[in-house]
Amino acid sequence: MELAFLLRGVGADVVWITNQKPLEDDEVVYSLEHKMLDRGVQVISAKGQKAVDTSLKADLIVLNTAVAGKWLDAVLKENVVKVLPKILWWIHEMRGHYFNADLVKHLPFVAGAMIDSHATAGYWKNRTQARLGIKMPKTYVVHLGNSKELMEVAEDSVAKRVLREHVRESLGVRNEDLLFGIINSVSRGKGQDLFLRAFHESLERIKEKKLQVPTMHAVVVGSDMSKQTKFETELRNFVREKKLENFVHFVNKTLTVAPYIAAIDVLVQNSQARGECFGRITIEAMAFKLPVLGTAAGGTMEIVVNGTTGLLHSAGKEGVIPLAKNIVKLATQVELRLRMGKNGYERVKEMFLEHHMSHRIASVLKEVLQHAKARALR
């Protein structure tokens, strides 16, 4: 979405070819498509001749996920060879099941790959070679950046206060209470279960040591109330078993995360295994001067400076106790919390703004377009 808007901002014609059906009952998909249309981005179905014609006419095709590789053969069919030289493959994933020949067999032949972190780029280089015996194309690492709209809210003290008060009131959390938030789609890979175990452990430690801290709450943003998956049921059962119903709150998935960032005091980024490819929510929270408690894995390690902008802990079950200790540490040390938040904001201003990202992407696009043009003339 952000790349589409950046390209529209410099006058490019942009078409979003989507596999999603514009179902009005899926609030996130519906909202996303209308944001695209409002900014002058055309939206068409990934199936059918129109998608083929648009791809053949385009100067550049950006595949915006690893699984988009299936679309190449399924829709473009015999035209795949014609479009490969003008494809920039933007990869955001680092789970093992993406290393499937059906998905990525065309990777070596595209103009380039763009990946959100050095950790993920290294992982893709090693795994494609080891598992599939294929070589990555020229790969560009481009860290993401916060939008101007988000930064405007983050730097507006009045707006932040209003959002904070509104969300906290809806959750039943007082202004003086301490709120830890995890903002991610609810799934085992995002580590909400281990976060809740760490949160419970931190409460037990505070009680045992008789520490003086504000009332502590946790909010899990990213639920899907309609589906009620087995994993989400596990989360809610755990909350009930530990009698945390008054202190742990669940919020449905949303594209509008700023109000919840404004409402919390600490962000927990608890993605498991290899961690996040990048973790946009991390830089968004840092823009709001929040410290981050994150797993020492993936892109988080390229964002969070351990001990300076937040605290890192191990992924997996072995990370539960260290995370609990870090929760207690930030709960009991107000000055440390505030200092880390300020340091994080300064790091965002230095490295993770929209103009940083747009400059990085512009240089990639220039090189990829030149490469595509040169191959077309052969």
Side-chain angles (χ1 to χ4, degrees), residues 254-295:
T254 177
L255 288 176
T256 310
V257 297
Y260 298 99
I261 301 174
I264 64 178
D265 299 294
V266 178
L267 178 81
V268 179
Q269 174 60 280
N270 204 39
S271 293
Q272 296 300 301
R274 300 170 193 90
E276 286 287 325
C277 179
F278 180 72
R280 172 181 292 283
I281 193 66
T282 306
I283 60 171
E284 291 175 334
M286 288 163 63
F288 279 73
K289 299 184 179 178
L290 299 181
V292 178
L293 300 180
T295 43

Side-chain angles (χ1 to χ4, degrees), residues 60-303:
L60 176 71
I61 298 170
V62 179
L63 296 184
N64 196 35
T65 175
V67 298
K70 290 186 75 171
W71 172 79
L72 291 173
D73 288 316
V75 177
L76 296 183
K77 298 176 182 177
E78 69 275 5
N79 292 302
V80 170
V81 176
K82 298 177 185 176
V83 302
L84 289 177
K86 56 183 181 179
I87 287 177
L88 174 63
W89 208 322
W90 197 356
I91 296 171
H92 312 279
E93 302 89 0
M94 57 191 303
R95 298 284 181 261
H97 61 270
Y98 291 107
F99 296 92
N100 180 316
D102 288 340
L103 298 179
V104 299
K105 64 184 178 185
H106 295 300
L107 251 179
F109 312 107
V110 302
M114 188 162 68
I115 300 181
D116 301 338
S117 68
H118 294 281
T120 308
Y123 182 65
W124 272 84
K125 179 181 178 181
N126 294 334
R127 288 301 290 267
T128 49
Q129 179 64 48
R131 180 175 286 193
L132 302 175
I134 65 175
K135 185 179 178 182
M136 288 287 289
K138 182 165 185 180
T139 301
Y140 309 86
V141 173
V142 175
H143 286 150
L144 304 181
N146 286 327
S147 69
K148 292 176 183 176
E149 291 81 4
L150 181 121
M151 292 304 299
E152 286 174 2
V153 177
E155 295 173 334
D156 186 332
S157 58
V158 175
K160 283 198 296 183
R161 187 180 72 248
V162 171
L163 292 172
R164 178 182 176 89
E165 291 173 354
H166 174 73
V167 170
R168 285 182 168 237
E169 182 179 0
S170 71
L171 297 176
V173 177
R174 299 172 302 178
N175 187 56
E176 62 269 25
D177 294 343
L178 196 55
L179 183 57
F180 291 80
I182 184 166
I183 305 175
N184 245 323
S185 56
V186 168
S187 68
R188 205 171 298 279
K190 300 299 183 181
Q192 287 91 353
D193 54 340
L194 300 180
F195 163 57
L196 291 180
R197 291 183 185 279
F199 181 71
H200 175 256
E201 175 66 23
S202 71
L203 295 178
E204 293 296 300
R205 286 170 177 259
I206 287 168
K207 182 179 178 181
E208 179 185 333
K209 296 180 180 181
K210 299 180 180 178
L211 301 175
Q212 296 299 310
V213 299
T215 300
M216 288 167 49
H217 292 258
V219 61
V220 177
V221 181
S223 294
D224 191 334
M225 308 299 191
S226 62
K227 291 184 179 178
Q228 284 287 296
T229 63
K230 179 183 176 183
F231 178 66
E232 187 154 342
T233 301
E234 286 179 22
L235 299 182
R236 293 169 187 265
N237 287 342
F238 177 81
V239 170
R240 279 193 294 272
E241 287 169 12
K242 302 301 181 183
K243 296 180 171 54
L244 295 174
E245 296 97 324
N246 294 329
F247 306 100
V248 175
H249 315 274
F250 293 90
V251 175
N252 210 8
K253 63 181 181 179
T254 177
L255 288 176
T256 310
V257 297
Y260 298 99
I261 301 174
I264 64 178
D265 299 294
V266 178
L267 178 81
V268 179
Q269 174 60 280
N270 204 39
S271 293
Q272 296 300 301
R274 300 170 193 90
E276 286 287 325
C277 179
F278 180 72
R280 172 181 292 283
I281 193 66
T282 306
I283 60 171
E284 291 175 334
M286 288 163 63
F288 279 73
K289 299 184 179 178
L290 299 181
V292 178
L293 300 180
T295 43
T300 301
M301 296 184 70
E302 295 171 31
I303 305 171

Side-chain angles (χ1 to χ4, degrees), residues 337-368:
R337 207 164 64 230
L338 295 175
R339 183 167 70 250
M340 285 183 167
K342 183 175 180 292
N343 291 340
Y345 170 76
E346 290 172 353
R347 185 163 169 79
V348 164
K349 296 285 282 187
E350 181 183 341
M351 298 179 62
F352 300 119
L353 295 177
E354 186 176 277
H355 72 83
H356 296 130
M357 180 181 71
S358 61
H359 288 159
R360 291 188 285 261
I361 288 178
S363 64
V364 173
L365 294 183
K366 182 178 180 181
E367 190 169 326
V368 168

